[in-house]
Amino acid sequence: MLRTILAGVSLLALAGPAFAAPSPSGLIGDHAVLQRGKPIVVRGTATPDETVTVVLAGRSAQARAGRDGSFTATLPALPAGGPYDLSLIAPSGTTQVHDVLVGDVFLCSGQSNMELPVERAQDAGSAIHGPADDQLRLVTIAKVTAPVAQDHFAQAPAWAVAGPQNIGGFSAACFYMVRELRGTAKVPIGAIHSNWGGSSISAWMGDDAQRAAGRGAQADLLKLYARDPAAAMRTAAATWETWWRTQSGDAPGHEPWQPDAALDWQAVPRTDFYENWGVPALQSYLGMLWYQKTVDLTPEQARQVATIAIGPADDADRVWINGKPVGGRGGWDARVYTVPAGTLVAGRNVITINIENAYATGGLPGPAEVMKLGFGDGSSVPIGDGWRYAIAKKASGTSPRVPWDDITGAGTIYNAMIAPLGSIGLAGVAWYQGESDTDIPGYDTRLKAMMAEWRRQFAAPDLPFAIVSLAGFGKPAIAPGESGWARVRDDQRRVAEGDGHAALAMAIDLGDPLDIHPGEKHEIGRRLARAMASIAYGATPPPSGPQAVSVTRDAAGGATVTFTGVTGALHTRSAAQATGFELCGDAVGTCRYAAATANGARVTLADDGKPVTRVRYAWADFPVVNLVDDAALPAGPFEMAAR
């Protein structure tokens, strides 16, 4: 039968004119893995209006290319197997894709802890220098963003057999997960690495998810940016300025970006991250800093089209000249903004920059020579030196980010790194993200909206999601308090618990107080594999380890926490009591550490004579906890009402 198909279509190819042969798009390429048990969608480009026949493993499907040359053909589902050659046959020619396997495909996405490569993990040597596995294939999606959803990748991804040449640079958490799953599934496995360090979940949400999460205004502004960038920038600047006045109480005309703003200005010692200036108040400062500089221009310079280059800005910037907004966005790359006509004047011009830093180093690191005002005639004025600075008033939360930001935008990453995957078949998604969303309310809503949208795109309403519950980071807790990290973990818990096709991989015991990127990714991968084996393959061991399901108040005044997913019984490491449990009243600030005793699948919290309406566990950026089960899996963080 296959010979008949090939022979018939080959005659058509010989009779047709000499156009370029059809080409696959998306993830179809040499060494690819296609999802077993689901229809196989093959997209590509061909000569407009020609018929393309796709042949794989004795099955075939036809599609007609549209006026733009794009086509989509759907092959019937196949069992695991291969390697096969996939043929695209048309009057314009024939293209063959070689060494294709059919098995299970997993998508791994998130921010830097999912992106962190094997070569930076703690036990990289054995993984990198181990034998190649021809049945395990890896592919990395290049980092790129777009203001609208794309049909094709900007850079065609290339699959490779997992071996010493490519394992080192691949996502460690993803690699260790799929390597573990190879022993569970006994089929070929493909792993897709699509990650971006520092990214907020909003950047991974498409238009539908933005609107479902109440972010329709951001989605609309991104659409405006795609049509009219200048108009979108004006709108974004006005939003930022309104936010600042609301936060600070500054009256219009009296804000820090006005040319004669009376702040506690100090000379910038040198062009560098402000932590390196030697100023004690800035050595570990997180927040906003104002920069200001005066530049004198000739009438001829002021009349020209101009740009301002300020170099990299860490983490987010907002720029004004003479009190008029010029630009601003997040990320760490170099900034170059067009200066709107009428902004510059002959004589004195005042440049004001707001820098917001939320993590590690911050400021304008330069180098000074890249910072300049450029003019249409090719001339420029250097602006790298002579700045002054002032510490900004403390604001609540983070400033509004523009929706076209690379990593904090409204679908910018989704549009270029997820949407081009089309409706490929997947066995599951591993998601490790949330650090960048701490202290931003509503993570649970955004996560649910993203999961729902991805499931629609991949035509899989029950697509499994294995979600890494954030590892600890920061100063170890010595007293109860509020925590944005803990809130994200609890949002992750509640989303997974209510989903039905999701599970958590716990990392609360694997963090590092001094490193936001803990190196123990091998264990993270094992725990992701355990969770995925349960939700994707129906394995019987509990997917996540101990998870609290209820809190009941005792007659004596204490409380009892009941756990599910416990292997054997609960145990406390190196102590008679379980650490990290808190009894709380209704109000903020009423939580206190509790004396907690583990017994079987329950933990009893002793009465302390104060009101109890809720119980928290591991509620800190870096909690110190010691509760595990016989599988050495840690109990998961939570906050629950006591009933």
Side-chain angles (χ1 to χ4, degrees):
M1 177 63 180
L2 178 58
R3 289 181 180 177
T4 303
I5 294 172
L6 291 173
V9 179
S10 296
L11 290 174
L12 288 173
L14 290 172
F19 292 112
S23 175
S25 62
L27 288 185
I28 302 292
D30 291 347
H31 316 299
V33 180
L34 306 177
Q35 180 59 42
R36 62 171 169 158
K38 295 183 179 180
I40 297 171
V41 179
V42 179
R43 296 182 299 128
T45 56
T47 300
D49 296 321
E50 75 173 349
T51 298
V52 180
T53 300
V54 180
V55 182
L56 175 68
R59 275 72 162 187
S60 66
Q62 287 189 331
R64 181 175 291 277
R67 292 184 178 180
D68 63 352
S70 63
F71 69 87
T72 301
T74 303
L75 291 161
L78 291 171
Y84 303 112
D85 283 346
L86 183 149
S87 299
L88 305 176
I89 309 163
S92 58
T94 297
T95 299
Q96 284 200 317
V97 178
H98 303 292
D99 189 30
V100 175
L101 299 177
V102 179
D104 287 339
V105 181
F106 294 93
L107 171 61
C108 300
S109 285
Q111 58 182 110
S112 53
N113 269 305
M114 182 63 90
E115 184 180 359
L116 187 138
V118 171
E119 63 194 11
R120 286 180 52 198
Q122 287 179 347
D123 55 350
S126 61
I128 294 173
H129 301 297
D133 182 355
D134 180 65
Q135 298 291 291
L136 180 59
R137 309 288 177 84
L138 311 175
V139 63
T140 296
I141 307 302
K143 288 182 181 177
V144 65
T145 62
V148 296
Q150 303 296 297
D151 292 329
H152 300 84
F153 289 110
Q155 178 181 329
W159 288 89
V161 172
Q165 295 82 9
N166 52 59
I167 288 175
F170 197 76
S171 160
C174 187
F175 170 75
Y176 287 120
M177 179 190 76
V178 294
R179 190 178 71 170
E180 190 86 3
L181 289 173
R182 278 275 294 123
T184 300
K186 307 296 185 184
V187 298
I189 285 183
I192 306 167
H193 167 14
S194 183
N195 301 285
W196 198 316
S199 57
S200 299
I201 193 173
S202 62
W204 295 94
M205 299 162 54
D207 190 77
D208 289 346
Q210 300 288 337
R211 298 181 190 284
R215 293 174 49 85
Q218 291 91 330
D220 289 338
L221 187 55
L222 183 63
K223 287 187 174 182
L224 175 61
Y225 179 78
R227 302 191 309 270
D228 188 346
M233 289 180 182
R234 289 193 297 270
T235 299
T239 299
W240 199 101
E241 291 175 354
T242 299
W243 171 84
W244 173 263
R245 286 188 286 267
T246 301
Q247 289 283 320
S248 67
D250 290 343
H254 297 276
E255 308 94 340
W257 57 84
Q258 300 300 336
D260 297 314
L263 301 181
D264 183 17
W265 295 109
Q266 306 291 326
V268 170
R270 63 180 183 275
T271 305
D272 198 349
F273 292 113
Y274 61 68
E275 289 86 354
N276 299 332
W277 289 350
V279 178
L282 296 177
Q283 286 183 348
S284 59
Y285 176 69
L286 297 178
M288 288 182 169
L289 213 64
W290 294 100
Y291 289 73
Q292 194 179 83
K293 177 180 173 59
T294 299
V295 179
D296 288 322
L297 300 178
T298 67
E300 182 182 359
Q301 288 171 324
R303 284 193 297 267
Q304 294 186 57
V305 174
T307 60
I308 182 170
I310 63 173
D314 192 354
D315 299 332
D317 69 289
R318 177 64 49 188
V319 182
W320 297 260
I321 299 179
N322 299 327
K324 297 179 180 179
V326 170
R329 58 188 177 86
W332 305 292
D333 55 338
R335 304 325 199 235
V336 179
Y337 300 120
T338 299
V339 179
T343 301
L344 300 175
V345 298
R348 176 177 179 257
N349 291 263
V350 179
I351 304 169
T352 306
I353 303 176
N354 177 280
I355 293 292
E356 182 177 16
N357 179 34
Y359 169 70
T361 54
L364 296 172
E369 53 266 27
V370 306
M371 303 173 70
K372 58 188 176 182
L373 278 172
F375 302 99
D377 63 4
S379 65
S380 63
V381 172
I383 60 171
D385 299 314
W387 291 88
R388 57 181 187 167
Y389 76 92
I391 296 176
K393 295 178 182 178
K394 186 172 178 60
S396 175
T398 57
S399 64
R401 300 295 176 89
V402 295
W404 50 88
D405 269 358
D406 285 349
I407 59 176
T408 61
T412 43
I413 297 177
Y414 170 85
N415 290 337
M417 295 177 63
I418 298 298
L421 292 170
S423 56
I424 64 167
L426 293 174
V429 175
W431 178 252
Y432 194 167
Q433 189 277 337
E435 297 93 337
S436 291
D437 282 72
T438 57
D439 298 318
I440 303 176
Y443 185 78
D444 55 340
T445 301
R446 297 190 294 279
L447 180 58
K448 284 191 288 188
M450 187 202 76
M451 291 166 63
E453 182 177 53
W454 288 22
R455 283 167 169 159
R456 285 193 298 273
Q457 174 178 329
F458 299 120
D462 300 336
L463 181 64
F465 272 79
I467 302 163
V468 179
S469 175
L470 298 186
F473 170 67
K475 187 177 181 180
I478 59 173
E482 299 310 305
S483 167
W485 286 66
R487 177 59 60 195
V488 168
R489 294 183 194 111
D490 202 49
D491 284 348
Q492 293 172 322
R493 175 189 67 84
R494 289 183 291 104
V495 169
E497 185 179 84
D499 183 81
H501 303 283
L504 297 176
M506 305 309 306
I508 195 65
D509 59 331
L510 301 176
D512 185 328
L514 301 178
D515 191 349
I516 200 170
H517 306 119
E520 186 45 272
K521 293 300 187 285
H522 195 160
E523 180 61 21
I524 291 290
R526 280 196 289 255
R527 293 181 186 181
L528 277 169
R530 181 187 179 105
M532 196 67 79
S534 175
I535 56 179
Y537 296 134
T540 53
S544 307
Q547 297 290 312
V549 290
S550 66
V551 177
T552 56
R553 282 183 289 194
D554 299 337
T560 298
V561 182
T562 301
F563 288 82
T564 189
V566 178
T567 299
L570 295 170
H571 306 281
T572 53
R573 285 176 169 166
S574 302
Q577 292 188 339
T579 60
F581 282 90
E582 301 174 21
L583 295 170
C584 306
D586 289 328
V588 173
T590 60
C591 295
R592 60 274 182 195
Y593 289 135
T597 305
N599 183 16
R602 292 181 172 83
V603 173
T604 301
L605 311 183
D607 174 37
D608 64 357
K610 298 178 182 179
V612 178
T613 60
R614 56 196 171 103
V615 168
R616 303 194 309 198
Y617 174 65
W619 203 265
D621 294 0
F622 190 95
V624 178
V625 292
N626 65 346
L627 187 64
V628 298
D629 65 2
D630 285 348
L633 292 175
F638 69 89
E639 179 182 61
M640 286 187 183
R643 305 187 185 283

